[in-house]
Amino acid sequence: MSMDLQRFHATFFEESREGLDAMEAGLLALESGQQDAEIINSVFRAAHSIKGGAGTFGFDAIAGLTHVLETLLDELRAGKRALEGHAVDAMLSSVDVLRALLREAEHGQAADPAAVAAVKARLEAVLSGQAAAAAPAAPAAKVDDTPEAWQIGFTPAPSLFMSGNDPLRIIRELEHLGSLQVAARMERLPGFAQLDPLEAHLAWDLGLVGKVPRSKIEDTFAWVLDDCELDIRPAAPPSLATQAPTASAATPSTPVAAPAAATTPAASGGGGQEAETSIRVSVDKVDALINLVGEEGKGWGYGKVLLDRERMVSAATAIFLTQTIRGIRDAATRRRVGGRPLIETPGFAAKLAQFEIEVIALQTMVLRLMDDAARGADSGPRGSMVKLRWSQLTQAGTALWVEALGPEAAHFAQLDGGDAVPPADMPYAMQGALYSRVTSIYGGSSEIQHNIIARRALGL
């Protein structure tokens, strides 16, 4: 039930922020002299919606203030009172206070009680016709309650990369808002054998210095809200990401507190304490890491280069086809057909000669591909052509070897009984012929290679 309630709250807060933005835009239009009844109606609807939601979820302070605001707007749209400048000023002040009350309800950041009381009294004074007496309280409502710094806990879901998002890009965006300190938390980082490069294993504690509106920070994380755990708290400038939140502020739903404490100077100075579970990383080092990984948005280009290199490495084993030729020759020399070695029969000799010519051609293509790689040149579709041809010749070569061995190729191990042992190449030839079927699949299936070659050749 608590999980569902949090989801409803999140929707209310989001819609309320949008409603306050609409209210502010409408009131500014009225302040500029526009006398459009529809503007008053839109402001009234926004206030009415916020009041209803606040009452439903028990946010009494928000409901109480919007009730007074709604009453004033209702009288204005009904024509019961004239639209006056001091009334618009009072309503604009109430928007700022309502934003503070929303932050209090959502994040526990206390709103200024004096400012809340002052703006409510000012609205009531407008309703009662005593606006002049309430006017001196107006300045108290315009208190800048933006903190000097923020502490941000950012824990990406393991599947974050699959949505096309990048934590390092978000960190760079935050740096544009103010001075930023970064601490990486690595408690979720598995051992090398279990490491999955497609999953996000690191979490981050971030300290942002500057009077930055909370909405700016939330906008930075807007694309990943459904793929992360995010904790944003006001902080005093000295604390930032390197100091844990106070005990009164910590809750079970904020997992960033304990790891953040591991990076404090006090924690690192004690010789008998446990090893740190996180390290501080400057944004410059983060950028250096990005330079090693590559530029954002060019993943497919890097992928194609890596695939080309993978195909080149696979195809480089074309050199080992020379060993296959040697095995075929040895087997065809041992086996006799019609009183003479198989290798001397015209039909088989022609097959072997054709195979040797095709292997030499493939090895030449491999050398050209390696030369392209050495010069940093684009090999075009050549990598796919080499991989495709290598798969075909590997299969053809092992099949020809089995043909040269004849029935003996069926032996997979030493014969039972006696000292008779089949030639050493028998097991390799048959098993190689069967296993070579997989070369049509790994390293990029043959069907995919055909498509790549066609697309590159046609310029698609």
Side-chain angles (χ1 to χ4, degrees):
M1 178 63 72
S2 60
M3 186 65 176
D4 292 338
L5 188 60
Q6 288 181 353
R7 290 177 179 176
F8 289 137
H9 283 183
T11 301
F12 166 73
F13 293 135
E14 181 65 26
E15 292 180 351
S16 296
R17 281 191 288 269
E18 294 175 358
L20 288 174
D21 290 342
M23 286 175 59
E24 186 174 47
L27 290 170
L28 289 173
L30 294 174
E31 186 180 46
S32 68
Q34 298 184 40
Q35 299 290 328
D36 189 344
E38 182 53 35
I39 295 178
I40 298 177
N41 287 333
S42 66
V43 175
F44 172 82
R45 287 192 296 269
H48 179 73
S49 178
I50 295 172
K51 173 193 166 185
T56 299
F57 295 115
F59 301 131
D60 296 336
I62 298 175
L65 181 56
T66 50
H67 173 71
V68 180
L69 177 60
E70 180 189 39
T71 302
L72 176 57
L73 288 165
D74 190 40
E75 291 186 2
L76 287 170
R77 70 178 190 145
K80 295 180 180 180
R81 66 170 62 245
L83 182 63
E84 299 174 327
H86 63 273
V88 176
D89 288 341
M91 289 187 287
L92 279 170
S93 297
S94 72
V95 171
D96 294 332
V97 173
L98 283 170
R99 286 196 175 106
L101 289 173
L102 277 176
R103 287 194 293 271
E104 180 179 65
E106 185 176 10
H107 304 292
Q109 180 186 346
D112 184 357
V116 175
V119 78
K120 187 174 182 181
R122 190 175 176 190
L123 289 172
E124 291 173 341
V126 173
L127 279 171
S128 64
Q130 300 176 352
K142 298 183 179 180
V143 176
D144 183 5
D145 56 358
T146 303
E148 296 290 338
W150 296 93
Q151 180 175 312
I152 305 165
F154 175 38
T155 305
S159 59
L160 180 77
F161 295 139
M162 297 298 98
S163 63
N165 289 296
D166 180 0
L168 300 184
R169 178 188 61 80
I170 296 173
I171 291 173
R172 290 203 304 270
E173 290 296 325
L174 285 175
E175 188 185 23
H176 295 157
L177 300 179
S179 177
L180 187 66
Q181 291 186 6
V182 182
R185 285 188 277 118
M186 299 184 291
E187 65 270 15
R188 300 190 307 171
L189 188 65
F192 186 80
Q194 292 78 36
L195 186 66
D196 186 346
L198 299 181
E199 290 190 0
H201 299 292
L202 300 183
W204 307 88
D205 290 327
L206 311 168
L208 181 62
V209 179
K211 295 181 72 65
V212 180
R214 184 189 184 91
S215 60
K216 294 286 188 182
I217 301 175
E218 291 172 341
D219 288 345
T220 304
F221 290 93
W223 291 101
V224 297
L225 287 178
D226 294 332
D227 296 308
C228 73
E229 293 180 12
L230 186 63
D231 180 36
I232 306 174
R233 302 183 188 180
S239 62
L240 300 177
T242 61
Q243 181 173 335
T246 61
S248 61
T251 66
S253 62
T254 54
V256 300
T263 61
T264 60
S268 60
Q273 297 187 8
E274 295 182 0
E276 294 185 2
T277 58
S278 64
I279 58 173
R280 278 195 295 271
V281 182
S282 70
V283 176
D284 290 340
K285 291 184 178 180
V286 173
D287 286 337
L289 177 60
I290 293 172
N291 290 336
L292 291 175
V293 174
E295 297 180 50
E296 178 185 354
K298 294 188 177 180
W300 174 233
Y302 298 141
K304 288 192 292 186
V305 172
L306 290 174
L307 286 173
D308 281 343
R309 298 300 181 266
E310 179 187 3
R311 295 176 193 126
M312 183 181 69
V313 171
S314 297
T317 59
I319 297 172
F320 297 114
L321 289 174
T322 302
Q323 298 177 2
T324 302
I325 294 173
R326 187 180 305 116
I328 295 171
R329 284 183 168 276
D330 290 344
T333 301
R334 290 196 312 268
R335 184 182 175 194
R336 301 186 71 81
V337 177
R340 58 177 175 173
L342 177 64
I343 198 170
E344 296 178 5
T345 61
F348 188 86
K351 289 182 183 179
L352 181 57
Q354 181 64 34
F355 179 70
E356 291 187 31
I357 292 171
E358 293 176 348
V359 168
I360 293 172
L362 175 60
Q363 291 173 342
T364 302
M365 291 178 66
V366 170
L367 292 175
R368 293 182 64 184
L369 187 62
M370 295 175 69
D371 180 64
D372 288 339
R375 293 183 293 106
D378 182 9
S379 61
R382 192 175 295 130
S384 293
M385 295 170 66
V386 167
K387 165 59 176 63
L388 185 62
R389 197 70 185 117
W390 168 73
S391 299
Q392 295 169 342
L393 290 181
T394 298
Q395 295 169 0
T398 52
L400 191 59
W401 196 346
V402 169
E403 181 182 346
L405 284 167
E408 294 179 338
H411 295 292
F412 281 82
Q414 293 185 358
L415 299 176
D416 293 333
D419 297 328
V421 177
D425 56 358
M426 289 183 187
Y428 180 83
M430 178 56 77
Q431 294 180 49
L434 296 175
Y435 186 74
S436 68
R437 303 299 102 185
V438 304
T439 61
S440 296
I441 301 174
Y442 70 70
S445 72
S446 294
E447 182 178 358
I448 292 176
Q449 305 308 326
H450 283 297
N451 291 337
I452 292 175
I453 292 170
R455 290 175 66 90
R456 295 297 292 268
L458 299 174
L460 300 178

